[in-house]
Amino acid sequence: MLSSKNDIVSEAWNTTTTTTQTQTPHRPSLIHPTFYWSYNCQVLFSGWPGSNRGMYALALIFVFFLAFLAEWLARCSDAASTVKPGADKLAKVAFRTAMYAVKSGFSYLVILAVVSFNGGVFIAAIFGHALGFAVFRGRAFRNMGGRVDG
């Protein structure tokens, strides 16, 4: 008798009845309101990386390189202002705008990955940005030309 009562409560929890929709089951959510440390997560795409540890490692490497490439593109768009001083202004502005758009797209993908609230993804993004900044825009490369932040 007790198990049937639990089944009814469970069934009531997993279904919804509204005027437009009846008997829609609730799906378990992979979205967490706080950081968590697990390889079973969802990053950027539905079902990816899933519960496979190798795919989780690939997801961390992917996020790391997205952040690293965002810093490289920021450096390229900064350096694009000094390339070919006699070039057409419209072409130079169009090129810098395209570089900025691609960099922004990579940055937004990193943000979306971090919104998964997975601690490993967050750390991979931070390290990717930090290493990218150190390599491409840090003080160690001041004599390379162009603008240097920091």
Side-chain angles (χ1 to χ4, degrees), residues 39 41 48-49 52-64 124:
Y39 64 89
C41 64
W48 187 71
N52 185 339
R53 290 180 189 208
M55 291 301 289
Y56 177 68
L58 181 65
L60 295 181
I61 292 167
F62 181 72
V63 170
F64 175 85

Side-chain angles (χ1 to χ4, degrees), residues 40-140:
N40 188 13
C41 64
Q42 182 173 320
V43 179
L44 293 177
F45 308 106
S46 179
W48 187 71
S51 60
N52 185 339
R53 290 180 189 208
M55 291 301 289
Y56 177 68
L58 181 65
L60 295 181
I61 292 167
F62 181 72
V63 170
F64 175 85
F65 279 111
L66 275 177
F68 187 79
L69 288 173
E71 293 296 327
W72 175 70
L73 286 168
R75 173 69 171 112
C76 288
S77 65
D78 290 345
S81 63
T82 61
V83 175
K84 293 187 181 181
D88 183 29
K89 278 190 173 188
L90 182 61
K92 189 189 298 187
V93 168
F95 178 73
R96 288 190 70 201
T97 301
M99 293 294 288
Y100 181 79
V102 172
K103 179 201 72 88
S104 296
F106 280 12
S107 296
Y108 280 121
L109 282 174
V110 171
I111 290 169
L112 286 173
V114 169
V115 170
S116 71
F117 289 103
N118 184 281
V121 171
F122 177 71
I123 290 173
I126 295 298
F127 283 158
H129 278 295
L131 185 63
F133 180 84
V135 169
F136 300 117
R137 301 194 299 166
R139 291 183 187 268

